[in-house]
């Protein structure tokens, strides 16, 4: 797992699989120490921060259910998802996209009329290791109890959660993990709600792992590959296709905090990424960047373009100008976890675009 910091050279996060596994263990133990039980729902409202991927695995390992929250949602939409998903905890950064997440949650969780009394915990995630505690947030073991939707809950930091987990017995997490089943719900993702209120799609361990394995096989992943992750982790394209699809085949991932065309090009060049997934507008932005030719993208081999139809000229440009000869097309939807159909790297251009 690589999380670059382009603002400060040499400050990127770089974890091998052993270090990632250890981080997952300590996060899972900490969340268990908070009293989060197997099957309970935990909302994560954050951009692609360094601990997003470890938290995805930590919640799965301890048998909890990850509720992904779109970073662009506004007050009423977030309140709806927290209530409708029956979340008992919310993990969040100071800001999400253009939102002031902390202040929005202050408002949402302090409004008894919203009926969010089941939320027992609120955990603040730093967007970077040295991010200062946001003004007005009380972060410490001795912090005052804050009213959360008519009940009392503790606002704490992720560091405090990890510290709490150190008191957990060595076998507690192993026992919780052993009790997980492939048919258990592991993830709730919300549909777009174009025909009404968004619906929470309940996906099981088996659902998302099966889809990840199939999609990875479709593009012939091997442990020599490295994925450039430029899509949002709150979406199936991020947390299932890019993360689980990669890790199921021993593929490393390099995660960008958000989509920025220059940062994507720089990351591919710097990390020699071979895999890249995205929607057509992302690839159009990469091709249109005025300094694209400054970056070497010849390491790219394949990836999945999805979310909208891909015109043949765009596919040709991705192949010829980004040097991604094996770019494939996929169709999916959240309810299918998400893969439904797609093309292979060996297919000719007409098949891949048609």
């Amino acid at each position: 797992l690589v999380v670059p910091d382009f603002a400060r050279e040499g400050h990127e996060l770089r974890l091998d699989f052993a270090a990632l596994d250890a981080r997952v263990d300590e996060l899972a133990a900490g969340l268990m120490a908070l009293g989060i039980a197997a099957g309970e729902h935990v909302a994560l409202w954050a951009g692609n921060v360094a601990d997003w991927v470890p938290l995805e695995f930590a919640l799965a390992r301890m048998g909890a259910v990850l509720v992904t929250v779109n970073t662009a949602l506004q007050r009423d939409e977030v309140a709806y998802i927290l209530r409708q998903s029956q979340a008992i905890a919310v993990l969040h950064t100071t800001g999400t996209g253009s939102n002031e997440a902390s202040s929005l949650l202050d408002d949402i969780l302090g409004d008894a009329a919203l009926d969010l009394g089941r939320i027992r915990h609120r955990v603040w995630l730093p967007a970077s290791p040295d991010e200062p505690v946001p003004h007005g947030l009380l972060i410490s073991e001795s912090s005052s109890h804050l009213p959360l939707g008519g009940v009392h809950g503790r606002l704490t930091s992720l560091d405090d959660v990890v510290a709490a987990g150190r008191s957990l017995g060595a076998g507690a997490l192993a026992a919780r993990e052993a009790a997980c089943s492939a048919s258990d719900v592991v993830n709730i993702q919300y549909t777009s709600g174009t025909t009404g209120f968004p619906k929470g799609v309940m996906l099981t361990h088996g659902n998302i792992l099966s889809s990840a394995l199939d999609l990875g096989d479709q593009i012939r992943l091997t442990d020599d590959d490295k994925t450039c992750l430029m899509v949002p982790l709150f979406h199936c394209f991020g947390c299932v296709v890019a993360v689980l699809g990669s890790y199921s085949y021993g593929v490393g991932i390099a995660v960008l905090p958000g989509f920025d065309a220059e940062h994507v090009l720089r990351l591919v060049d710097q990390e020699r990424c071979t895999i890249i997934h995205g929607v057509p507008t992302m690839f159009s932005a990469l091709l249109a960047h005025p300094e694209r030719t400054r970056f070497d993208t010849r390491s790219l081999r394949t990836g999945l373009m999805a979310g909208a139809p891909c015109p043949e000229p765009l596919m040709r440009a991705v192949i010829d100008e980004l040097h991604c000869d094996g770019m494939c097309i996929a169709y999916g939807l959240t309810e299918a976890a998400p893969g439904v159909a797609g093309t292979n790297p060996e297919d000719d251009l007409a098949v891949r675009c048609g």
Side-chain angles (χ1 to χ4, degrees), residues 78-341:
V78 174
Y80 169 81
I81 285 179
L82 293 179
R83 182 175 63 252
Q84 207 269 346
S85 69
Q86 301 180 356
I88 58 87
V90 56
L91 286 61
H92 66 93
T93 45
T94 305
T96 61
S98 61
N99 287 325
E100 291 294 329
S102 291
S103 57
L104 273 176
L105 285 166
D106 287 344
D107 180 31
I108 291 170
L109 298 177
D111 186 345
L114 292 175
D115 190 26
L116 292 169
R118 70 169 50 241
I119 294 181
R120 307 194 304 267
H121 303 286
R122 177 178 166 188
V123 179
W124 173 70
L125 313 179
S128 61
D130 57 355
E131 182 185 6
V133 175
H135 177 70
L137 288 187
L138 304 174
I139 306 288
S140 76
E141 280 297 311
S142 60
S143 59
S144 302
H145 284 99
L146 301 180
L148 301 182
V151 300
H152 288 288
R154 186 180 295 279
L155 173 66
T156 189
S157 72
L158 196 61
D159 285 344
D160 289 338
V161 171
V162 170
R166 295 185 186 119
S167 63
L168 204 68
L173 176 56
R176 184 76 74 85
E177 184 177 5
C180 291
S181 163
S183 60
D184 292 341
V185 174
V186 71
N187 189 199
I188 295 177
Q189 301 223 1
Y190 276 78
T191 63
S192 59
T194 51
T195 57
F197 286 112
K199 311 300 191 297
V201 177
M202 299 186 294
L203 302 173
T204 68
H205 291 262
N207 289 153
I208 61 177
L209 283 171
S210 175
S211 187
L213 284 165
D214 286 345
L215 290 163
D217 180 64
Q218 176 187 331
I219 58 174
R220 318 291 189 251
L221 289 179
T222 77
D223 58 10
D224 291 326
D225 285 311
K226 181 180 285 186
T227 298
C228 171
L229 197 158
M230 63 178 181
V231 292
L233 284 163
F234 64 74
H235 192 276
C236 266
F237 211 173
C239 64
V240 178
V241 178
V243 175
L244 296 181
S246 297
Y247 283 168
S248 295
Y249 291 86
V251 175
I253 59 174
V255 180
L256 285 165
F259 179 76
D260 177 288
E262 183 170 334
H263 287 173
V264 172
L265 294 166
R266 183 173 173 184
L267 187 67
V268 170
D269 186 348
Q270 177 178 298
E271 296 294 328
R272 312 311 301 147
C273 295
T274 59
I275 311 297
I276 189 167
H277 304 311
V279 299
T281 52
M282 288 178 168
F283 289 101
S284 295
L286 296 179
L287 289 160
H289 193 276
E291 297 192 59
R292 175 180 56 78
T293 56
R294 264 203 317 121
F295 302 97
D296 183 1
T297 62
R298 287 173 296 178
S299 60
L300 289 175
R301 180 178 71 77
T302 184
L304 295 170
M305 195 184 307
C310 173
E312 186 167 326
L314 176 60
M315 177 64 86
R316 174 59 67 190
V318 169
I319 293 170
D320 292 344
E321 298 175 39
L322 293 180
H323 309 289
C324 191
D325 294 346
M327 178 58 64
C328 296
I329 297 297
Y331 169 73
L333 69 164
T334 307
E335 293 86 344
V340 174

